[in-house]
Amino acid sequence: MNKKNNLAILAPEAVYPANTGGRIVVFNKIKYLLKSGYNVTLFCIVDSDEEAKVQDVAMAKLGVKSYSYNRNTFKKRNLINTLKYPYAVASRDNKKLKQDLRALVEQDCLDVIDIEFPQMAVNILDIDIIREKKINIILNQHNIEYRAMRSISKALHNPVKHTIFQFEASRLKKFEEKIYNSGLVNGYTFVSMEDLRRTPAN
């Protein structure tokens, strides 16, 4: 196995079936990386055990090792975790994912970690060995997430929901700023120059 071609993808939702914009992007990326000679490992947060089974089988057919974690297994923990992070981040903060990812890093089985959406970056913040091994981290901004949440809040007529989404958008912006200033990420991708200008770092 050629170490320089070992890459892990961290995704906040299932990528198969590829039936939404975000899923299509990540699924096609996986196929492209495989054709380019990369050994791809997928770490993914899913909504049910059945969704995990469907995805893991599909990924196995492509030759991709898939680790799927049901975020609804730890609902109580997720709610408690919102004291520390916005819910979009708290619900993707997965202890088992971190353990499995750390194991691959310790075994020198990874050279690149590709993070889809900033909320998944919570799973690398406390893994110091990533720095020690000098693994390259790429963060892909499909949208500016806090701005998307802010837009949803403006469309809500229910004042309680409006306030909650505004508050969560503010918290998510601060989390994104934390990621940009962490020094962990080596590179970013954006869908447009306008999105790049709208990041919390600019």
Side-chain angles (χ1 to χ4, degrees), residues 61-125:
K61 290 180 180 179
L62 292 177
V64 173
K65 173 62 178 176
S66 177
Y67 294 85
S68 298
Y69 309 89
N70 185 349
R71 68 172 175 160
N72 293 311
T73 302
F74 304 103
K75 286 185 177 181
K76 184 176 180 180
R77 179 183 177 275
N78 291 343
L79 288 174
I80 294 173
N81 215 12
T82 58
L83 296 173
K84 185 177 182 181
Y85 298 118
Y87 183 76
V89 177
S91 61
R92 268 79 178 187
D93 181 12
N94 190 283
K95 183 178 180 181
K96 186 63 169 63
L97 187 159
K98 294 176 183 178
Q99 291 173 344
D100 292 337
L101 182 62
R102 177 186 287 274
L104 286 186
V105 173
E106 290 175 344
Q107 296 164 20
D108 288 328
C109 291
L110 285 180
D111 191 59
V112 179
I113 298 176
D114 178 283
I115 301 174
E116 304 295 328
F117 298 89
Q119 54 264 44
M120 286 302 291
V122 69
N123 293 294
I124 68 166
L125 289 178

Side-chain angles (χ1 to χ4, degrees), residues 84-86 89 118 125 146 150 166-182 200-201:
K84 185 177 182 181
Y85 298 118
V89 177
L125 289 178
Y146 82 90
R150 186 180 291 170
Q166 280 278 38
F167 179 62
E168 285 293 285
S170 176
R171 297 181 75 201
L172 190 55
K173 180 181 179 182
K174 290 179 180 178
F175 178 78
E176 290 188 39
E177 289 173 342
K178 179 179 180 179
I179 298 302
Y180 291 130
N181 295 322
S182 68

Side-chain angles (χ1 to χ4, degrees), residues 140-154:
N140 301 288
Q141 277 278 29
H142 295 240
N143 301 293
I144 306 302
E145 292 299 293
Y146 82 90
R147 292 182 65 88
M149 188 170 291
R150 186 180 291 170
S151 295
I152 293 173
S153 74
K154 293 177 180 179

